Amino acid sequence: TKGLAGACVEADGRGPEFKSPGVPVLDQKACLFTPVLLVVPPGPVVFKNSDAMPHNVTIRGMLNPAVAEGFPGGEAISRTFPFDEKMAVRCTVHPWMMAGLVVTRRAAHAVTGITGTFRIEGVEAGSRKITVWHPLGDEVTLQADVPADGKIQVEIKWRPRANFRAGFSR
C-alpha cells in the first residue's frame, strides 16, 4: 500500500540489448550497500569498500559463479557474471547489509523509486509479461496489454517471503 523501493521490473518482448556505459560498481559505504539494487548487463561488476572497516561480498547464484570474499576498507574486487540472473548480495560480517544484483540482457527494465513507481521506455505493443523481483521476496509475474502508444499503468502486488524478518533498514 505504500510502494516498494528497490525492486527490478522487466517487460518482455523485442527490444535492444542492455548496455552499461562503464563497469558497474556496488559500493559498501556507511555499512550499507549502494545502490540497494544494481542492474547490470552480463560482464564484470566492481565491488568497492568505501568504509575504513573490512566487509565481504557473499553471492550464491544458481547460474553465475559464487562470490564469498572479504576485503579491507578502501579496496575493491571485480567479478564477472556471464548469465542473466537475480541474486541477493550480503555482507556476512554485518548481517543487516543486503542488496540485489540483477544481471540481464533486457533493456526494457526499471528499478522502482522510493514510492514504488517506475517507468520503462520502449516496450513493444501487445500482451507483455511483466516480472518484478526484490531480494526480500519472491518473483511476481503478471500480463499487461500495452497499447500502440505505449502508455499503460499497472499495479503490482508484492509480498515478502513467508519467513521474512527485517534485519536492516534503509
Side-chain angles (χ1 to χ4, degrees), residues 15-99:
E17 192 165 301
F18 177 42
K19 305 243 189 255
S20 180
V23 177
V25 176
L26 184 61
D27 198 0
Q28 295 168 305
K29 190 173 185 176
C31 279
L32 294 171
F33 281 105
T34 303
V36 71
L37 180 72
L38 182 63
V39 182
V40 302
V45 175
V46 170
F47 298 94
K48 184 177 172 186
N49 180 355
S50 292
D51 283 339
M53 69 187 80
H55 285 298
N56 69 32
V57 171
T58 302
I59 303 171
R60 290 184 179 88
M62 300 290 284
L63 303 172
N64 287 291
V67 179
E69 188 165 342
F71 48 104
E75 292 191 12
I77 61 172
S78 178
R79 295 294 175 269
T80 298
F81 299 91
F83 304 107
D84 289 22
E85 187 171 14
K86 298 168 178 80
M87 302 167 284
V89 181
R90 297 182 183 274
C91 172
T92 57
V93 175
H94 306 99
W96 62 87
M97 290 179 65
M98 187 174 116

Side-chain angles (χ1 to χ4, degrees), residues 151-166:
K151 294 182 182 179
I152 184 173
Q153 225 175 324
V154 294
E155 181 177 343
I156 300 164
K157 300 210 186 259
W158 178 90
R159 284 189 226 194
R161 286 188 195 97
N163 60 354
F164 167 72
R165 235 180 37 142

Side-chain angles (χ1 to χ4, degrees), residues 1-15:
T1 59
K2 297 181 182 175
L4 178 66
C8 179
V9 183
E10 287 185 300
D12 74 352
R14 292 179 298 193

